[in-house]
Amino acid sequence: MNDKNVNSIEKDEALHAVPNEQRQHWLTPAMIFGGLEFTIPVLMVGATLAGSFGLSKIFFILIIALFGIQWIGNALQGYIGAKTGRSSSVIARTSFGAMQARFIVGLTIFVVSLGWWAVQTSVAGNAISAMFGVDYTSQWGLWALITVVAGLLFAIPSIIGYSSMKWTDYIAVPAGLLLIAAGIYFALKNTGWETISNWNPEPTMGILAAISLVIGANVSQWVIASDYTRYAKPTIKDNALIPTGIVLVGFPLFIVGAVMSVGVGDADIVNVMMNLGFPVWGFLILWFATWTSQLVNNYSMGLALANMLNVNSNKGRALLTFAGTIIAIIVALAGILDYFMDFLYLTALVYPAIAGVMMVDFFLIRKRTWTDNKGWNWMATIALVAGTLLGYLTQYVTTFGLPAVQSLIASGIVYYVAMKIKAKVAPDQFTEDTRGDIAMDDLEVEIK
């Protein structure tokens, strides 16, 4: 990467587009974005799946969830980020309107990214406490101190900006791979391959519920993917390849979470590791592996907050990211881990509805362009509520299908129909067939 590109990335402005000549090879965003999957909740979901299914069924569930569903959503949102060069909460200004994008979409991304970050920081605090022999269930003061220090170390690269995140992954990704290998080793050593391969528990959830759980662990990517692909080239090939980072990391990590928990009967990954006899270095590796996903969550949290407060400078983004970090640490200390599963399901309802509006607007209404529409688009609000409501009803009232997918499709359809009606009845800036007001139109789609 030349000096001009490095300087541009170090500016890391929150609102402006990343120019085409400063885009990077697809491997860079794929590595950073793929680091999002090195996450403790993924291990915990894998452990939860092992409570209801044997390995063969878990393989089947993951193939459908990751390859059949997750990849598509990531690729579509990723292409939007690459084509516009903008972050997710800024892209939403076209469909939701600048005001709604700041206070609804931006707030949603901020809160959910903060929640994920707090969940992982809490578990990391548990792991490091266990490493030092601190009982995190009774010695709250020491656990809190360890959690605060771990959280601040997690946050430093994302506060500095995009350029530092790439170098952190060179440490954290190998640590994650070592964690996978160690998990398999200690599971085979303590549980045995025969027990693992013959594992066939009585199911406490159905196949569709299991797929929804896997999607719930990843569904935020359907919106925040553009935060990282805005540094990628706007080609179909590149944005189809970038989600491989998620799939190639996620698949084995879900499996390892399941394998480690067989016979242990606990979804708390720290308890699982302690029962398997992980040495001290194992908990340190867990912290390093978690670093990648914490960077992504923290960075997206800062970008969303910058959009909410209309702050564009790198210094402003860094200060807001730090402020969000402090809030997230307080949330972690307050015990968000106790509500982890409810948090997953909540995420799986709101994010897809936002994604459905953004995708339909970009591909079907705006013809792959972006414009900074002022005000508040109530058609997007109606679609967001409709999609979220359908997701809630099919998740909690009458369980049916895949609520996250249904939420995305429903919000997209409602938005498209509502916009067509609005264009005929009360046209405004949101219904104009505009090519956008940015220079990104020069970015041609390349298929190589």
Side-chain angles (χ1 to χ4, degrees):
M1 185 184 303
N2 60 39
D3 292 339
K4 181 180 179 182
N5 287 355
V6 171
N7 290 336
S8 171
I9 292 173
E10 286 178 350
K11 290 180 180 178
D12 205 3
E13 295 174 336
L15 304 183
H16 288 167
V18 177
N20 189 35
E21 65 271 13
Q22 294 165 1
R23 304 304 180 87
Q24 304 173 40
H25 191 278
W26 67 270
L27 280 173
T28 299
M31 182 174 64
I32 293 175
F33 194 43
L36 178 61
E37 203 71 358
F38 274 120
T39 167
I40 292 170
V42 166
L43 290 170
M44 293 173 70
V45 169
T48 301
L49 293 178
S52 293
F53 306 101
L55 282 186
S56 60
K57 288 186 178 179
I58 292 175
F59 265 86
F60 173 73
I61 289 166
L62 293 177
I63 287 173
I64 293 176
L66 294 178
F67 289 90
I69 299 174
Q70 193 63 43
W71 193 317
I72 297 172
N74 286 0
L76 290 174
Q77 186 61 235
Y79 176 75
I80 297 175
K83 179 67 175 171
T84 64
R86 285 175 159 83
S87 63
S88 54
S89 55
V90 176
I91 292 170
R93 291 183 179 214
T94 298
S95 52
F96 286 88
M99 186 179 296
Q100 186 172 196
R102 289 171 61 187
F103 295 107
I104 301 297
V105 179
L107 182 62
T108 299
I109 295 173
F110 172 73
V111 170
V112 177
S113 295
L114 183 149
W116 275 113
W117 194 91
V119 165
Q120 294 194 85
T121 297
S122 179
V123 178
N126 293 354
I128 298 174
S129 295
M131 184 177 74
F132 288 117
V134 174
D135 186 351
Y136 59 86
T137 62
S138 60
Q139 296 174 280
W140 189 90
L142 283 175
W143 170 81
L145 177 61
I146 291 170
T147 301
V148 169
V149 173
L152 290 175
L153 290 174
F154 274 146
I156 289 173
S158 58
I159 292 172
I160 295 173
Y162 187 91
S163 59
S164 68
M165 294 167 63
K166 177 177 66 176
W167 301 109
T168 305
D169 279 347
Y170 288 138
I171 300 173
V173 171
L177 295 174
L178 186 57
L179 178 66
I180 291 174
I184 294 173
Y185 170 77
F186 284 105
L188 292 175
K189 178 182 177 182
N190 291 275
T191 306
W193 172 246
E194 184 176 355
T195 300
I196 294 171
S197 61
N198 293 327
W199 182 252
N200 188 29
E202 187 68 28
T204 58
M205 70 173 74
I207 293 290
L208 290 179
I211 293 173
S212 291
L213 189 59
V214 174
I215 294 173
N218 290 288
V219 74
S220 64
Q221 299 158 19
W222 291 353
V223 174
I224 67 171
S226 47
D227 290 349
Y228 308 93
T229 58
R230 65 192 181 119
Y231 285 100
K233 297 176 183 177
T235 69
I236 293 176
K237 183 199 76 173
D238 281 21
N239 290 281
L241 289 172
I242 288 172
T244 57
I246 292 292
V247 174
L248 294 181
V249 171
F251 195 91
L253 208 61
F254 278 111
I255 293 294
V256 168
V259 167
M260 286 198 300
S261 70
V262 168
V264 176
D266 197 335
D268 185 330
I269 202 62
V270 175
N271 286 340
V272 170
M273 291 173 66
M274 292 174 67
N275 284 321
L276 288 178
F278 263 74
V280 169
W281 57 261
F283 295 95
L284 185 61
I285 288 174
L286 180 65
W287 184 86
F288 274 120
T290 305
W291 204 357
T292 58
S293 56
Q294 289 295 74
L295 290 176
V296 176
N297 281 319
N298 216 39
Y299 185 70
S300 288
M301 178 179 65
L303 287 177
L305 191 56
N307 181 46
M308 288 172 61
L309 301 178
N310 206 33
V311 173
N312 184 56
S313 68
N314 181 43
K315 181 179 180 180
R317 179 206 57 77
L319 289 173
L320 290 174
T321 304
F322 176 71
T325 299
I326 299 302
I327 297 172
I329 288 175
I330 294 172
V331 171
L333 297 179
I336 191 174
L337 190 60
D338 296 335
Y339 306 97
F340 171 68
M341 298 308 294
D342 289 337
F343 183 74
L344 267 185
Y345 285 127
L346 174 65
T347 303
L349 295 179
V350 180
Y351 262 118
I354 293 175
V357 172
M358 293 174 65
M359 290 176 185
V360 167
D361 184 85
F362 183 79
F363 289 105
L364 300 182
I365 293 179
R366 219 65 57 177
K367 308 302 181 184
R368 295 184 291 115
T369 62
W370 179 91
T371 184
D372 192 0
N373 283 323
K374 308 300 180 184
W376 187 296
N377 185 6
W378 286 102
M379 302 305 101
T381 309
I382 293 170
L384 175 62
V385 171
T388 304
L389 180 61
L390 179 64
Y392 174 81
L393 292 175
T394 56
Q395 179 71 63
Y396 293 107
V397 180
T398 304
T399 304
F400 174 78
L402 301 172
V405 177
Q406 291 152 192
S407 178
L408 184 149
I409 294 173
S411 66
I413 292 174
V414 170
Y415 179 72
Y416 184 81
V417 173
M419 287 296 286
K420 289 298 182 181
I421 295 173
K422 183 179 179 63
K424 293 181 179 180
V425 177
D428 58 10
Q429 74 271 25
F430 293 105
T431 61
E432 291 177 1
D433 185 17
T434 177
R435 291 292 298 170
D437 60 1
I438 57 175
M440 301 307 290
D441 295 337
D442 295 330
L443 303 181
E444 304 255 339
V445 177
E446 302 171 13
I447 305 177
K448 296 182 180 179

